[in-house]
Amino acid sequence: MAVPEPLVLVPGLNCTAALYAPQWPALASGRPILVAETSSDETIGAIAERLLAAAPERFALCGLSMGGYVAFEVMRRAPERVTRLALLDTSAKPATPETNQPREQMIALAEKGAFDNVTTLLWQKLVAPARLADEPLRLVVRQMAEDVGAAGFVRQQRAIMGRVDSRPGLSAITVPSLVIVGAEDEITPPVEAKAIASGIGASARYLEIPGCGHLSTLEAPEIATKALLDWLD
């Protein structure tokens, strides 16, 4: 029996491996998993290079939000090493002065010692409205932010603010691809995910999860797990 291909998981902004905790038991069944380090570098390119240096020669790649930006960069630098691609709640668009302005404001808050305020502000946009009062989920999100820390958060924001346009490269992606988005994702809404799936073309499967915001792996864990298992099989 063949050993399942290794899987590299890339967390989003202010997130850690805990972002994928609900999926871990199913995904790790007989399969090596690596979680990319995303809080040590100030560019998406450097994060991608760190990932490639640590990853096996060939691997499946899954990224959520900022993790998707990193995944696109990996596909630009070493497409021959990626066997399949999952893009969750992300966008292929580049950063712009308009999108970077609120990020600058959050960086300023973090650098002046108000990182708690940043995590509180982000929570309002991260999940579907119906989940805002979900205290266990909020505590998971808060713990991930504390583990990343203010300095790591600032580095991640700088990286995101320098990201390039990934749309021109979508048609070059030919590996089996999964594009997941929460129907109520305010940060990278379904229109962004549909554009990614359409740009990739026939090798992409699109899944929109009702009642779900930006953190699909945590808000809709069973649906996300099943979709990822189907993608890996």
Side-chain angles (χ1 to χ4, degrees):
M1 187 174 175
V3 176
E5 66 207 303
L7 172 62
V8 177
L9 299 172
V10 195
L13 173 71
N14 238 6
C15 293
T16 67
L19 180 67
Y20 299 103
Q23 288 73 45
W24 197 277
L27 298 182
S29 182
R31 180 188 308 278
I33 295 184
L34 169 73
V35 179
E37 166 53 48
T38 61
S39 62
S40 298
D41 303 291
E42 288 196 357
T43 68
I44 295 295
I47 298 171
E49 283 299 325
R50 186 184 293 272
L51 183 161
L52 287 165
E57 187 55 35
R58 299 263 291 162
F59 54 90
L61 179 62
C62 171
L64 186 149
S65 193
M66 182 187 75
Y69 309 151
V70 176
F72 284 131
E73 188 63 31
V74 169
M75 294 303 293
R76 274 190 289 276
R77 292 174 185 238
E80 72 286 352
R81 292 181 60 183
V82 180
T83 58
R84 60 191 71 227
L85 179 66
L87 299 160
L88 284 56
D89 301 282
T90 194
S91 171
K93 288 183 176 179
T96 67
E98 292 73 30
T99 61
N100 282 348
Q101 185 177 13
R103 296 188 187 280
E104 289 280 16
Q105 292 167 347
M106 285 190 278
I107 286 173
L109 280 173
E111 289 182 333
K112 73 176 187 182
F115 187 49
D116 273 359
N117 293 11
V118 170
T119 57
T120 300
L121 288 168
L122 282 173
W123 170 250
Q124 303 301 316
K125 286 182 174 286
L126 280 174
V127 297
R131 302 300 291 274
L132 286 172
D134 186 331
E135 188 63 8
L137 179 57
R138 190 188 71 80
L139 290 175
V140 169
V141 171
R142 188 169 194 82
Q143 185 60 56
M144 287 195 296
E146 288 178 5
D147 291 343
V148 170
F153 170 80
V154 169
R155 285 190 287 269
Q156 289 178 337
Q157 285 285 31
R158 296 267 182 234
I160 291 170
M161 289 165 62
R163 76 186 187 278
V164 300
D165 193 344
S166 293
R167 291 171 295 183
L170 291 175
S171 62
I173 297 172
T174 57
V175 294
S177 300
L178 172 65
V179 182
I180 294 178
V181 67
E184 298 182 46
D185 187 339
E186 276 189 48
I187 297 173
T188 52
V191 65
E192 306 275 353
K194 287 174 184 172
I196 292 170
S198 174
I200 294 173
S203 63
R205 179 195 168 207
Y206 174 78
L207 175 64
E208 188 173 315
I209 305 176
C212 181
H214 190 60
L215 301 179
S216 53
T217 53
L218 297 176
E219 292 179 72
E222 296 86 0
I223 296 173
T225 300
K226 183 182 185 307
L228 288 168
L229 286 174
D230 289 346
W231 162 73
L232 286 168
D233 288 340

